[in-house]
Amino acid sequence: MARAGWLVGLLLASLAALPAAAQDAAGKPAPALSIAGRVEHPRTLTLAELQAMPAATVEMDSTTSTGVQHVKYTGPLLWTLVQAAKPVDHPSGGNTALQHTMLARGQDGYAVALSIGEIDPRMEGKQVLVAVARDGQPVPYLRLVVPGDVHAARSVRDLASIEVH
Ligand SMILES: Nc1nc2c(c(=O)[nH]1)N[C@H]1C(S)=C(S)[C@@H](COP(=O)(O)O)O[C@H]1N2
Ligand SMILES: [Mo]
């Protein structure tokens, strides 16, 4: 009995050492966004950290398999997140800041590409954002929102990473 108690204690101690809420009850990873690749400061932001950042709001008609929906999404701009990570410009001469591309990937591996010129406020300045709220209500997941896309195929569900190239 004493030995069994000791084993239970060891088991509880190792469970307590696990990172908090790495997964939800369904075994899905907790929402978090890693920004990595060709950047000086790669980092991973939790949903709470993203919710605490300055946010933009976009209103749009989103076309999915279930039809057209008018939605309002709120969250930090992709431009702000990528700038904070400090992209490392490519070494070939001239203004190479516009060479960067970004691969946005969901937890399921689904990935879409964007270019820095799409989101640079001095270029197209598109309000691409990482939504943490929908119609004013916080949501427990991350979604990439690309205003202006006719079809919502770049609206990456359960966004997990942004890889800067
Ligand atoms: N992670 C992930 N995001 C995704 C997809 C996917 O397969 N995986 N499909 C895309 C496509 S093709 C569409 S049309 C929309 C559908 O959005 P919905 O699932 O909210 O209806 O999600 C997009 N985002
Ligand atoms: Mo789609």
Side-chain angles (χ1 to χ4, degrees):
M1 266 336 261
R3 188 188 158 104
W6 182 83
L7 277 172
V8 168
L10 187 70
L11 184 69
L12 289 176
S14 47
L15 280 175
L18 286 173
Q23 302 195 329
D24 70 7
K28 212 170 161 180
L33 177 64
S34 120
I35 300 173
R38 204 180 165 85
V39 294
E40 258 178 63
H41 305 302
R43 71 176 292 197
T44 299
L45 293 146
T46 64
L47 175 63
E49 287 171 325
L50 290 162
Q51 281 169 339
M53 291 182 69
T57 294
V58 294
E59 253 186 90
M60 58 200 256
D61 288 317
S62 172
T63 306
T64 68
S65 47
T66 52
V68 183
Q69 281 178 300
H70 189 78
V71 281
K72 197 168 89 178
Y73 286 112
T74 304
L77 290 174
L78 180 61
W79 172 254
T80 308
L81 295 168
V82 168
Q83 285 310 105
K86 284 213 182 302
V88 177
D89 290 345
H90 293 262
S92 56
N95 177 4
T96 61
L98 291 168
Q99 274 189 38
H100 295 293
T101 55
M102 291 146 294
L103 204 59
R105 197 180 290 278
Q107 286 173 4
D108 61 354
Y110 181 82
V112 302
L114 294 117
S115 79
I116 204 83
E118 272 183 276
I119 61 170
D120 184 333
R122 293 158 296 194
M123 302 293 147
E124 192 180 354
K126 203 185 284 179
Q127 303 279 285
V128 176
L129 55 79
V130 177
V132 293
R134 185 186 155 114
D135 295 328
Q137 298 301 313
V139 287
Y141 51 78
L142 301 174
R143 180 160 202 142
L144 185 72
V145 170
V146 186
D149 279 3
V150 174
H151 188 72
R154 288 202 290 180
S155 179
V156 180
R157 234 183 289 123
D158 297 319
L159 182 67
S161 64
I162 303 289
E163 195 179 295
V164 178
H165 291 264

